Amino acid sequence: MKLVSAIIKPFKLDDVREAIAGIGVEGMTVTEVKGFGRQKGHTELYRGAEYQVDFLPKVKLDIAIKEEQVEFLVEAIIAAARTGKIGDGKIFVTELEQVVRIRTGELDNEAL
């Protein structure tokens, strides 16, 4: 089992959700986050005053998935989230040791 965490631009969330539903992924957790990378923020003008926005709004997706589906999931996220511009985001794939469905007590792949 793997945990795929993707940080994407907020306006791409619906596109990514549709793309991963199309490959049979049944669930994900979405968190609104802020951060920066190479993009380094930007300046904005508010009531005539210019100020620096260091942390940009992003959306983080966490998806627990069977190992054999990881490649398809990563490709679907890339295809749906890519704009070709700086700040498109990152995808992290990590190992999951155990998953438990609280309601039924099912473990690991059965709990996904």
Side-chain angles (χ1 to χ4, degrees):
M1 297 173 303
K2 301 286 186 176
L3 178 64
V4 176
S5 297
I7 299 172
I8 63 170
K9 292 182 175 184
F11 69 90
K12 288 303 224 171
L13 178 59
D14 287 335
D15 294 340
V16 171
R17 185 182 50 80
E18 289 174 13
I20 68 173
I23 62 166
V25 174
E26 296 177 350
M28 68 176 168
T29 301
V30 178
T31 310
E32 291 181 7
V33 296
K34 292 184 179 187
F36 71 92
R38 291 183 182 166
Q39 204 172 357
K40 302 270 194 281
H42 62 276
T43 56
E44 288 189 4
L45 196 62
Y46 179 73
R47 294 188 178 184
E50 191 173 284
Y51 65 99
Q52 181 70 23
V53 177
D54 293 324
F55 295 99
L56 301 174
K58 301 287 181 178
V59 174
K60 181 180 180 187
L61 313 176
D62 287 316
I63 306 162
I65 194 162
K66 295 177 183 175
E67 194 159 346
E68 57 269 14
Q69 294 178 296
V70 169
E71 185 177 333
F72 301 111
L73 176 61
V74 169
E75 289 173 2
I77 294 170
I78 291 170
R82 178 180 284 156
T83 66
K85 297 182 176 148
I86 194 166
D88 276 350
K90 296 260 189 321
I91 299 173
F92 305 95
V93 179
T94 56
E95 191 70 35
L96 272 180
E97 290 185 27
Q98 185 178 29
V99 177
V100 179
R101 181 173 303 202
I102 295 172
R103 179 178 55 86
T104 62
E106 292 171 298
L107 297 175
D108 301 330
N109 282 332
E110 290 77 35
L112 297 177

